[in-house]
Amino acid sequence: MSQEMWTYIFVAGTFAIYIGIAIWARAASTDDFYVAGHDVHPMVNGMATAADWMSAASFLSMAGLIAFMGYGGSVYLMGWTGGYVLLALLLAPFLREFGKFTVPDFVGDRYYSTTARMIAVICALFVSFTYIAGQMKGVGVAFSGFLGVEFNTGIYVGMGIVFVYAVLGGMKGITYTQVAQYCVLIFAYTVPAIFISLIITGNPIPQLGFISDVKGEDVSMLAKLNQVVTDLGFKEYTSTEKSMFDMFAITGALMFGTAGLPHVIIRFFTVSSAGAARVSAGWALVFIALLYTTAPAVAGFARLNFIDTVNESTYVESLDNYDAEAAAIVAAGGKPIPKWFKDWEKTGLLAVEDKNGDGRVQYRAGTDNEVTKLDRDIFVLANPSIANLPGWVIGLVVAGGLAAALSTAAGLLMVISSSISHDLCRRTLFKDMDDKTELRVARLAAAGAVVAAGFMGIYSAQLAFVAQVVAFAFGLAAASLFPVIFLGIFWKRMNREGAIASMLTGLVPTFAYIWHFKIGAGKAAGAADWFLGVSPEGIGFVFMFVSLAVGIAVSLATKAPPQDIQDLVEDIRVPGTRRSHGIADSGMAPVADHT
């Protein structure tokens, strides 16, 4: 059976499962739509959380970035892993004890202020739309490679799929869809990694193959990779051009940004209690570790295989007549450019230019490099083809990449939908809205968000790779939402004035910095022009401390919170006491607004 047929079978089969689950688990109430009825088993929620967490950035882009950034790309691995531990152990159980299912809901009630709630809604929307832009780019990459169409067309197809199961099923449908998506994506990620590890090192465990000797040679895989890339003029794979402070800042932004991500926090409200939230967090860490410990190996194998198959290959003009042209090149003693390269070339994500007119492709550092377009987000999808693995493995990886991108996109759509329908409309503008109307508004908001996210995904492709776009969202979350959540749980003196000042101080300069250096006048600037040498990916970590300091200072300079709020802050750290303050799990019984 051909590779294309296998791909169609896996993609069509998995999508049928996702849509079937959405129909089966269709939300019948706002409780089902927002928090899946609070009755999801902790292990099931852990698997769904892992799928929600391991987005296109984790599945598609992280290994690609590490493959070409080497040691410098490890900041994504370290930041995201550490951030999830921080969220799971420090914040999630207390937020679950508080009983609210959106971050703006928590902010509005904890800080007894409609103004604070509205600013939190704005922060959540900024974070979510930035994040989902990266996911939709991943959807476009996966669909364009699978269907052999242009990148933009791939995004339009993905928009239609997300629309069906996110808008119809809500959080209940998304939860069980994400369980299926996790099974698909983890199998799709590890199977080719095992095959490639066996081919290169003879070791079936990728994590060990990464540090093993190359098969038949007395040299480690990493040492050989270092030698290969330095021979071509690149920096050693195990070194980085980033300053240590910038790496620290990016890691910090990803780590603390994780703890402020609305779409991850909301997952802990689908279980029955704070204790169940802790258990589901433990399961999620286990499921996440399966992919994250494999990613460095996938990255190293991809870089080595790419150089081996592309560098000094002879260019083939026609994809339609590829086999005949390639056979002629081989007969003449040459090495034809691989067919997978030609397949991706038509998507616009790979390109070559014969600068010296010799008919061969030279992959080098500097201006002599003839690989003129190299989108790193394609490499996990292309890796099985590069290694000449069977067609069914290639089809499986495409299905896994789509599962990763769509699972997180759906979770983010829930944040956008609930922020608009629940926090903005029902809790602020139309307080007499009934459940049926709120559910209708939520679905309309999700539908509108799908369209907006698709067009943002098209635009984000011009800015950066998926993981870098996503890193901007983490920086925004670290600077704007993490300080008010952290202080709101652990410092009862934090008041509404401090919260408002903190969120604005974090959001505005962080967004302005990212905009200036990625879109605005400073787009062509280098590291020498960055504030303290910190890149746009890491600046959220710097402004997080400014936000924390401003929040504390303003709170100390203004009136203390009401006594019932201070008692509430102490009680949410003691399981089972929150209901004495009238805070219901559904989030519909708010603390009085003292504004």
Side-chain angles (χ1 to χ4, degrees):
M1 193 179 295
S2 69
Q3 171 194 323
E4 289 78 10
M5 185 57 65
W6 276 116
T7 304
Y8 276 106
I9 289 172
F10 277 116
V11 173
T14 54
F15 274 41
I17 293 172
Y18 304 154
I19 294 172
I21 291 173
I23 295 171
W24 166 73
R26 180 170 178 167
S29 66
T30 53
D31 219 31
D32 282 346
F33 193 87
Y34 291 136
V35 288
H38 290 300
D39 61 358
V40 178
H41 189 279
M43 186 179 75
V44 173
N45 190 57
M47 194 175 292
T49 303
D52 202 1
W53 172 244
M54 292 189 297
S55 64
S58 293
F59 189 99
L60 296 179
S61 192
M62 181 170 64
L65 281 178
I66 295 173
F68 289 88
M69 294 174 66
Y71 173 68
S74 65
V75 294
Y76 295 94
L77 186 66
M78 295 185 293
W80 284 331
T81 305
Y84 192 80
V85 175
L86 176 68
L87 170 65
L89 301 181
L90 189 63
L91 300 183
F94 301 117
L95 289 171
R96 178 62 188 86
E97 190 69 18
F98 193 86
K100 300 301 176 182
F101 53 69
T102 70
V103 171
D105 223 5
F106 168 80
V107 171
D109 282 0
R110 164 59 181 88
Y111 295 110
Y112 51 96
S113 170
T114 299
T115 302
R117 181 191 304 277
M118 292 301 298
I119 295 174
V121 167
I122 294 170
C123 292
L125 291 177
F126 264 85
V127 171
S128 298
F129 271 114
T130 305
Y131 203 138
I132 205 171
Q135 302 315 304
M136 294 310 290
K137 192 211 167 184
V139 170
V141 169
F143 267 115
S144 62
F146 156 48
L147 297 173
V149 297
E150 289 186 355
F151 170 76
N152 291 359
T153 305
I155 284 189
Y156 297 142
V157 175
M159 287 166 60
I161 299 296
V162 175
F163 181 89
V164 173
Y165 73 81
V167 175
L168 181 66
M171 182 56 81
K172 187 175 180 180
I174 286 171
T175 294
Y176 294 103
T177 300
Q178 285 175 334
V179 171
Q181 288 168 330
Y182 176 79
C183 295
V184 172
L185 74 86
I186 199 64
F187 193 61
Y189 203 85
T190 54
V191 166
I194 291 169
F195 275 118
I196 297 170
S197 183
L198 276 169
I199 292 170
I200 295 179
T201 69
N203 194 319
I205 303 173
Q207 294 89 337
L208 298 180
F210 181 60
I211 56 175
S212 300
D213 286 351
V214 175
K215 186 189 291 186
E217 300 181 32
D218 189 22
V219 60
S220 71
M221 200 281 293
L222 279 175
K224 181 172 183 177
L225 183 53
N226 270 341
Q227 184 62 52
V228 168
V229 295
T230 53
D231 286 347
L232 297 176
F234 298 101
K235 288 185 67 68
E236 281 192 340
Y237 188 77
T238 51
S239 65
T240 180
E241 295 178 350
K242 288 182 174 294
S243 69
M244 189 56 65
F245 183 66
D246 189 30
M247 289 189 66
F248 184 76
I250 296 174
T251 303
L254 297 175
M255 187 174 185
F256 289 96
T258 300
L261 283 181
H263 80 287
V264 175
I265 290 172
I266 199 174
R267 286 242 51 96
F268 293 99
F269 294 95
T270 63
V271 295
S272 58
S273 65
R278 288 186 185 275
V279 174
S280 69
W283 277 111
L285 283 168
V286 171
F287 293 129
I288 290 169
L290 292 176
L291 189 145
Y292 270 44
T293 57
T294 308
V298 171
F301 297 152
R303 184 71 180 276
L304 196 59
N305 277 336
F306 175 79
I307 294 171
D308 184 55
T309 58
V310 173
N311 188 44
E312 296 298 338
S313 63
T314 301
Y315 190 70
V316 175
E317 293 293 337
S318 172
L319 181 59
D320 294 334
N321 197 36
Y322 178 85
D323 291 340
E325 288 191 46
I329 293 170
V330 172
K335 178 177 73 173
I337 195 167
K339 188 174 184 294
W340 68 263
F341 194 104
K342 296 294 296 181
D343 288 333
W344 280 100
E345 195 175 22
K346 66 184 179 183
T347 68
L349 299 172
L350 274 181
V352 296
E353 177 187 348
D354 189 5
K355 295 180 179 180
N356 59 12
D358 66 353
R360 290 183 295 133
V361 178
Q362 278 82 39
Y363 176 61
R364 302 280 189 272
T367 57
D368 293 334
N369 185 15
E370 295 183 339
V371 180
T372 55
K373 180 71 178 291
L374 179 59
D375 194 308
R376 299 167 190 178
D377 292 336
I378 73 170
F379 275 89
V380 168
L381 294 176
N383 218 9
S385 298
I386 298 173
N388 288 316
L389 296 185
W392 68 268
V393 178
I394 297 168
L396 179 64
V397 172
V398 173
L402 291 170
L406 295 175
S407 62
T408 303
L412 290 163
L413 287 171
M414 284 306 305
V415 171
I416 295 168
S417 172
S418 60
S419 294
I420 293 172
S421 62
H422 182 68
D423 298 304
L424 179 61
C425 293
R426 185 163 189 174
R427 296 298 303 275
T428 306
L429 300 178
F430 310 105
K431 296 185 178 182
D432 58 346
M433 180 183 289
D434 58 26
D435 280 5
K436 186 176 181 180
T437 304
E438 182 180 356
L439 185 58
R440 188 181 302 116
V441 172
R443 285 191 167 124
L444 288 172
V450 169
V451 177
F455 287 107
M456 289 185 68
I458 292 171
Y459 182 68
S460 70
Q462 304 172 29
L463 303 179
F465 304 112
V466 171
Q468 290 174 313
V469 175
V470 168
F472 302 149
F474 280 76
L476 291 168
S480 62
L481 293 176
F482 174 77
V484 294
I485 296 172
F486 178 77
L487 293 174
I489 292 173
F490 294 103
W491 190 41
K492 65 182 181 180
R493 183 62 177 78
M494 183 70 171
N495 63 13
R496 67 185 177 201
E497 290 84 4
I500 291 169
S502 177
M503 286 186 286
L504 291 175
T505 301
L507 178 66
V508 175
T510 303
F511 182 76
Y513 190 91
I514 293 171
W515 181 277
H516 176 72
F517 285 110
K518 285 297 179 179
I519 301 173
K523 187 176 181 180
D529 300 302
W530 294 339
F531 177 63
L532 299 178
V534 177
S535 62
E537 292 89 343
I539 197 63
F541 182 63
V542 175
F543 285 119
M544 180 190 77
F545 287 102
V546 177
S547 176
L548 283 166
V550 168
I552 293 170
V554 172
S555 294
L556 291 175
T558 51
K559 185 179 178 181
Q563 190 59 46
D564 62 322
I565 298 296
Q566 296 190 48
D567 294 341
L568 168 65
V569 175
E570 291 195 356
D571 285 350
I572 62 173
R573 295 197 295 273
V574 181
T577 60
R578 68 189 186 280
R579 294 186 187 279
S580 64
H581 295 273
I583 302 175
D585 276 340
S586 67
M588 299 302 180
V591 172
D593 193 330
H594 294 262
T595 302

PDB file of all heavy atoms in Angstrom, residues 19 23 55 60 67 79 113 151 172 184 207 256 260 265 283 310 366 378 397 452 470 510 561 589:
ATOM      1  N   ILE A  19     -14.562  13.258  15.672  1.00  0.00           N
ATOM      2  CA  ILE A  19     -15.892  13.821  15.420  1.00  0.00           C
ATOM      3  C   ILE A  19     -16.967  12.947  16.061  1.00  0.00           C
ATOM      4  O   ILE A  19     -17.951  13.440  16.613  1.00  0.00           O
ATOM      5  CB  ILE A  19     -16.126  13.990  13.908  1.00  0.00           C
ATOM      6  CG1 ILE A  19     -15.156  15.049  13.357  1.00  0.00           C
ATOM      7  CG2 ILE A  19     -17.571  14.395  13.610  1.00  0.00           C
ATOM      8  CD1 ILE A  19     -15.158  15.180  11.851  1.00  0.00           C
ATOM      9  N   ILE A  23     -19.759  14.126  18.917  1.00  0.00           N
ATOM     10  CA  ILE A  23     -21.206  13.913  18.828  1.00  0.00           C
ATOM     11  C   ILE A  23     -21.710  13.136  20.048  1.00  0.00           C
ATOM     12  O   ILE A  23     -22.737  13.461  20.641  1.00  0.00           O
ATOM     13  CB  ILE A  23     -21.545  13.169  17.521  1.00  0.00           C
ATOM     14  CG1 ILE A  23     -21.202  14.066  16.318  1.00  0.00           C
ATOM     15  CG2 ILE A  23     -23.019  12.771  17.487  1.00  0.00           C
ATOM     16  CD1 ILE A  23     -21.301  13.358  14.985  1.00  0.00           C
ATOM     17  N   SER A  55       1.269  20.532  22.451  1.00  0.00           N
ATOM     18  CA  SER A  55       0.669  21.151  21.276  1.00  0.00           C
ATOM     19  C   SER A  55       1.535  20.924  20.043  1.00  0.00           C
ATOM     20  O   SER A  55       2.491  20.152  20.060  1.00  0.00           O
ATOM     21  CB  SER A  55       0.517  22.649  21.536  1.00  0.00           C
ATOM     22  OG  SER A  55       1.806  23.227  21.690  1.00  0.00           O
ATOM     23  N   LEU A  60       5.500  19.174  16.828  1.00  0.00           N
ATOM     24  CA  LEU A  60       6.075  19.521  15.529  1.00  0.00           C
ATOM     25  C   LEU A  60       7.332  20.366  15.633  1.00  0.00           C
ATOM     26  O   LEU A  60       8.308  20.152  14.918  1.00  0.00           O
ATOM     27  CB  LEU A  60       5.045  20.278  14.689  1.00  0.00           C
ATOM     28  CG  LEU A  60       3.774  19.535  14.282  1.00  0.00           C
ATOM     29  CD1 LEU A  60       2.876  20.466  13.490  1.00  0.00           C
ATOM     30  CD2 LEU A  60       4.118  18.305  13.463  1.00  0.00           C
ATOM     31  N   ALA A  67      16.865  20.569  16.781  1.00  0.00           N
ATOM     32  CA  ALA A  67      17.698  20.003  15.719  1.00  0.00           C
ATOM     33  C   ALA A  67      18.623  21.039  15.112  1.00  0.00           C
ATOM     34  O   ALA A  67      19.774  20.739  14.769  1.00  0.00           O
ATOM     35  CB  ALA A  67      16.812  19.388  14.626  1.00  0.00           C
ATOM     36  N   GLY A  79      12.058  24.727  30.017  1.00  0.00           N
ATOM     37  CA  GLY A  79      11.048  25.673  30.489  1.00  0.00           C
ATOM     38  C   GLY A  79       9.672  25.072  30.579  1.00  0.00           C
ATOM     39  O   GLY A  79       8.967  25.231  31.583  1.00  0.00           O
ATOM     40  N   SER A 113     -13.628  42.679  42.130  1.00  0.00           N
ATOM     41  CA  SER A 113     -13.630  43.824  41.224  1.00  0.00           C
ATOM     42  C   SER A 113     -14.009  43.420  39.806  1.00  0.00           C
ATOM     43  O   SER A 113     -13.413  42.502  39.229  1.00  0.00           O
ATOM     44  CB  SER A 113     -12.238  44.472  41.203  1.00  0.00           C
ATOM     45  OG  SER A 113     -12.135  45.427  40.183  1.00  0.00           O
ATOM     46  N   PHE A 151       0.373  26.080   2.070  1.00  0.00           N
ATOM     47  CA  PHE A 151       0.258  26.223   3.519  1.00  0.00           C
ATOM     48  C   PHE A 151      -1.085  26.838   3.932  1.00  0.00           C
ATOM     49  O   PHE A 151      -1.766  26.343   4.835  1.00  0.00           O
ATOM     50  CB  PHE A 151       1.424  27.081   4.019  1.00  0.00           C
ATOM     51  CG  PHE A 151       1.313  27.505   5.442  1.00  0.00           C
ATOM     52  CD1 PHE A 151       1.565  26.612   6.467  1.00  0.00           C
ATOM     53  CD2 PHE A 151       0.958  28.806   5.773  1.00  0.00           C
ATOM     54  CE1 PHE A 151       1.460  26.999   7.795  1.00  0.00           C
ATOM     55  CE2 PHE A 151       0.853  29.213   7.089  1.00  0.00           C
ATOM     56  CZ  PHE A 151       1.111  28.299   8.099  1.00  0.00           C
ATOM     57  N   LYS A 172     -16.585  18.898  27.499  1.00  0.00           N
ATOM     58  CA  LYS A 172     -16.860  17.470  27.637  1.00  0.00           C
ATOM     59  C   LYS A 172     -16.388  16.720  26.398  1.00  0.00           C
ATOM     60  O   LYS A 172     -15.695  15.710  26.482  1.00  0.00           O
ATOM     61  CB  LYS A 172     -18.352  17.246  27.856  1.00  0.00           C
ATOM     62  CG  LYS A 172     -18.705  15.792  28.170  1.00  0.00           C
ATOM     63  CD  LYS A 172     -20.177  15.651  28.486  1.00  0.00           C
ATOM     64  CE  LYS A 172     -20.514  14.199  28.809  1.00  0.00           C
ATOM     65  NZ  LYS A 172     -21.958  14.019  29.114  1.00  0.00           N
ATOM     66  N   VAL A 184      -2.965   8.785  19.934  1.00  0.00           N
ATOM     67  CA  VAL A 184      -2.468   8.890  18.564  1.00  0.00           C
ATOM     68  C   VAL A 184      -1.104   9.576  18.523  1.00  0.00           C
ATOM     69  O   VAL A 184      -0.147   9.079  17.912  1.00  0.00           O
ATOM     70  CB  VAL A 184      -3.477   9.651  17.676  1.00  0.00           C
ATOM     71  CG1 VAL A 184      -2.879   9.928  16.292  1.00  0.00           C
ATOM     72  CG2 VAL A 184      -4.772   8.863  17.530  1.00  0.00           C
ATOM     73  N   GLN A 207      16.010   7.436  23.851  1.00  0.00           N
ATOM     74  CA  GLN A 207      16.687   8.211  24.884  1.00  0.00           C
ATOM     75  C   GLN A 207      18.114   7.718  25.125  1.00  0.00           C
ATOM     76  O   GLN A 207      19.004   8.506  25.461  1.00  0.00           O
ATOM     77  CB  GLN A 207      15.889   8.154  26.206  1.00  0.00           C
ATOM     78  CG  GLN A 207      14.544   8.839  26.144  1.00  0.00           C
ATOM     79  CD  GLN A 207      13.421   7.935  25.682  1.00  0.00           C
ATOM     80  OE1 GLN A 207      13.657   6.935  25.012  1.00  0.00           O
ATOM     81  NE2 GLN A 207      12.187   8.278  26.038  1.00  0.00           N
ATOM     82  N   PHE A 256       7.212  30.071  34.107  1.00  0.00           N
ATOM     83  CA  PHE A 256       6.182  30.795  34.856  1.00  0.00           C
ATOM     84  C   PHE A 256       4.976  31.114  33.978  1.00  0.00           C
ATOM     85  O   PHE A 256       3.860  31.250  34.484  1.00  0.00           O
ATOM     86  CB  PHE A 256       6.777  32.065  35.457  1.00  0.00           C
ATOM     87  CG  PHE A 256       7.731  31.793  36.577  1.00  0.00           C
ATOM     88  CD1 PHE A 256       9.099  31.742  36.353  1.00  0.00           C
ATOM     89  CD2 PHE A 256       7.269  31.551  37.858  1.00  0.00           C
ATOM     90  CE1 PHE A 256       9.989  31.468  37.376  1.00  0.00           C
ATOM     91  CE2 PHE A 256       8.147  31.269  38.901  1.00  0.00           C
ATOM     92  CZ  PHE A 256       9.512  31.222  38.657  1.00  0.00           C
ATOM     93  N   GLY A 260       0.560  30.285  34.278  1.00  0.00           N
ATOM     94  CA  GLY A 260      -0.490  31.274  34.077  1.00  0.00           C
ATOM     95  C   GLY A 260      -1.333  31.021  32.849  1.00  0.00           C
ATOM     96  O   GLY A 260      -2.133  31.866  32.466  1.00  0.00           O
ATOM     97  N   ILE A 265      -4.879  25.589  33.035  1.00  0.00           N
ATOM     98  CA  ILE A 265      -5.514  25.709  34.350  1.00  0.00           C
ATOM     99  C   ILE A 265      -6.935  25.167  34.328  1.00  0.00           C
ATOM    100  O   ILE A 265      -7.376  24.475  35.254  1.00  0.00           O
ATOM    101  CB  ILE A 265      -5.490  27.181  34.815  1.00  0.00           C
ATOM    102  CG1 ILE A 265      -4.045  27.599  35.153  1.00  0.00           C
ATOM    103  CG2 ILE A 265      -6.398  27.392  36.021  1.00  0.00           C
ATOM    104  CD1 ILE A 265      -3.888  29.076  35.433  1.00  0.00           C
ATOM    105  N   TRP A 283      -0.460  12.118  36.848  1.00  0.00           N
ATOM    106  CA  TRP A 283      -0.621  11.321  35.631  1.00  0.00           C
ATOM    107  C   TRP A 283      -0.187  12.116  34.400  1.00  0.00           C
ATOM    108  O   TRP A 283       0.452  11.571  33.494  1.00  0.00           O
ATOM    109  CB  TRP A 283      -2.077  10.889  35.478  1.00  0.00           C
ATOM    110  CG  TRP A 283      -2.436   9.667  36.271  1.00  0.00           C
ATOM    111  CD1 TRP A 283      -3.253   9.590  37.361  1.00  0.00           C
ATOM    112  CD2 TRP A 283      -1.959   8.334  36.032  1.00  0.00           C
ATOM    113  NE1 TRP A 283      -3.324   8.301  37.818  1.00  0.00           N
ATOM    114  CE2 TRP A 283      -2.545   7.507  37.019  1.00  0.00           C
ATOM    115  CE3 TRP A 283      -1.114   7.772  35.089  1.00  0.00           C
ATOM    116  CZ2 TRP A 283      -2.300   6.137  37.074  1.00  0.00           C
ATOM    117  CZ3 TRP A 283      -0.868   6.402  35.151  1.00  0.00           C
ATOM    118  CH2 TRP A 283      -1.457   5.608  36.131  1.00  0.00           C
ATOM    119  N   VAL A 310      20.589  15.357   2.026  1.00  0.00           N
ATOM    120  CA  VAL A 310      20.407  16.547   1.186  1.00  0.00           C
ATOM    121  C   VAL A 310      21.728  17.139   0.710  1.00  0.00           C
ATOM    122  O   VAL A 310      21.867  17.505  -0.467  1.00  0.00           O
ATOM    123  CB  VAL A 310      19.588  17.619   1.938  1.00  0.00           C
ATOM    124  CG1 VAL A 310      19.548  18.925   1.145  1.00  0.00           C
ATOM    125  CG2 VAL A 310      18.172  17.123   2.196  1.00  0.00           C
ATOM    126  N   GLY A 366      26.340  30.313   6.086  1.00  0.00           N
ATOM    127  CA  GLY A 366      26.705  31.528   5.388  1.00  0.00           C
ATOM    128  C   GLY A 366      25.983  31.721   4.064  1.00  0.00           C
ATOM    129  O   GLY A 366      25.018  31.030   3.734  1.00  0.00           O
ATOM    130  N   ILE A 378       8.743  21.401   9.945  1.00  0.00           N
ATOM    131  CA  ILE A 378       8.364  20.236   9.146  1.00  0.00           C
ATOM    132  C   ILE A 378       9.102  18.973   9.559  1.00  0.00           C
ATOM    133  O   ILE A 378       8.752  17.871   9.118  1.00  0.00           O
ATOM    134  CB  ILE A 378       8.614  20.474   7.645  1.00  0.00           C
ATOM    135  CG1 ILE A 378      10.126  20.437   7.352  1.00  0.00           C
ATOM    136  CG2 ILE A 378       7.980  21.766   7.175  1.00  0.00           C
ATOM    137  CD1 ILE A 378      10.461  20.420   5.878  1.00  0.00           C
ATOM    138  N   VAL A 397       2.580   9.441  11.629  1.00  0.00           N
ATOM    139  CA  VAL A 397       3.159  10.690  12.136  1.00  0.00           C
ATOM    140  C   VAL A 397       2.331  11.893  11.706  1.00  0.00           C
ATOM    141  O   VAL A 397       2.130  12.835  12.487  1.00  0.00           O
ATOM    142  CB  VAL A 397       4.628  10.839  11.661  1.00  0.00           C
ATOM    143  CG1 VAL A 397       5.178  12.208  12.011  1.00  0.00           C
ATOM    144  CG2 VAL A 397       5.491   9.766  12.300  1.00  0.00           C
ATOM    145  N   ALA A 452     -10.932  33.620  13.430  1.00  0.00           N
ATOM    146  CA  ALA A 452      -9.870  34.581  13.758  1.00  0.00           C
ATOM    147  C   ALA A 452      -8.529  33.871  13.928  1.00  0.00           C
ATOM    148  O   ALA A 452      -7.487  34.343  13.458  1.00  0.00           O
ATOM    149  CB  ALA A 452     -10.235  35.347  15.022  1.00  0.00           C
ATOM    150  N   VAL A 470       4.532  30.437  20.083  1.00  0.00           N
ATOM    151  CA  VAL A 470       3.955  29.987  21.343  1.00  0.00           C
ATOM    152  C   VAL A 470       4.711  30.590  22.525  1.00  0.00           C
ATOM    153  O   VAL A 470       4.121  30.930  23.554  1.00  0.00           O
ATOM    154  CB  VAL A 470       3.959  28.445  21.397  1.00  0.00           C
ATOM    155  CG1 VAL A 470       3.655  27.944  22.796  1.00  0.00           C
ATOM    156  CG2 VAL A 470       2.937  27.890  20.409  1.00  0.00           C
ATOM    157  N   THR A 510       5.271  44.019  27.877  1.00  0.00           N
ATOM    158  CA  THR A 510       5.675  42.752  27.264  1.00  0.00           C
ATOM    159  C   THR A 510       5.169  42.662  25.829  1.00  0.00           C
ATOM    160  O   THR A 510       5.921  42.308  24.908  1.00  0.00           O
ATOM    161  CB  THR A 510       5.135  41.558  28.075  1.00  0.00           C
ATOM    162  OG1 THR A 510       5.606  41.654  29.416  1.00  0.00           O
ATOM    163  CG2 THR A 510       5.608  40.240  27.476  1.00  0.00           C
ATOM    164  N   PRO A 561      -7.651  44.348  51.508  1.00  0.00           N
ATOM    165  CA  PRO A 561      -8.886  43.719  51.032  1.00  0.00           C
ATOM    166  C   PRO A 561      -9.887  43.549  52.177  1.00  0.00           C
ATOM    167  O   PRO A 561      -9.502  43.526  53.357  1.00  0.00           O
ATOM    168  CB  PRO A 561      -8.417  42.356  50.516  1.00  0.00           C
ATOM    169  CG  PRO A 561      -6.941  42.474  50.351  1.00  0.00           C
ATOM    170  CD  PRO A 561      -6.483  43.463  51.358  1.00  0.00           C
ATOM    171  N   ALA A 589     -21.731  31.211  41.784  1.00  0.00           N
ATOM    172  CA  ALA A 589     -22.063  31.909  43.022  1.00  0.00           C
ATOM    173  C   ALA A 589     -20.895  32.778  43.446  1.00  0.00           C
ATOM    174  O   ALA A 589     -20.033  32.369  44.188  1.00  0.00           O
ATOM    175  CB  ALA A 589     -22.401  30.904  44.131  1.00  0.00           C
TER     176      ALA A 589
END
